[in-house]
Amino acid sequence: MPEGPDEAAALYDSAAEELEQAAKHCRTAARHFRDREIPRGAAHAWAAFGHIRAAEESLDAQARTHAAKSNP
């Protein structure tokens, strides 16, 4: 569980990198779908989803840390 601002920043950097990769895969998927290359487009769409899920995992870790430290 991250404890300080440096660890939190690392989680957000990781999430940002994953989302940037997802965006690249989305653009590639769009290009393949436009070119009627459906299997290739689908492969990149799934890769994008994988990167999104990885970003969510980083953000989930930060949310759990915040929840553990907050007072209701």
Side-chain angles (χ1 to χ4, degrees), residues 2-3 8 13 20 22-23 27 33 41 45-46 48-49 53 56 62 66-67 69 71:
E3 294 296 325
D13 283 339
E20 288 167 356
R27 289 183 192 99
F33 283 123
W46 275 110
F49 185 67
R53 293 291 299 134
E56 287 177 338
Q62 181 62 20
H66 184 77
K69 292 181 177 185
N71 294 320

Side-chain angles (χ1 to χ4, degrees), residues 6-65:
D6 290 336
E7 292 85 1
L11 285 173
Y12 285 108
D13 283 339
S14 175
E17 180 59 32
E18 291 292 347
L19 293 170
E20 288 167 356
Q21 291 301 313
K24 290 177 186 178
H25 277 291
C26 285
R27 289 183 192 99
T28 301
R31 186 173 59 250
H32 288 314
F33 283 123
R34 280 189 199 95
D35 292 342
R36 305 299 188 253
E37 296 175 345
I38 306 308
R40 291 181 80 186
H44 283 280
W46 275 110
F49 185 67
H51 285 291
I52 291 168
R53 293 291 299 134
E56 287 177 338
E57 290 170 10
S58 290
L59 297 173
D60 284 346
Q62 181 62 20
R64 284 189 298 275
T65 297

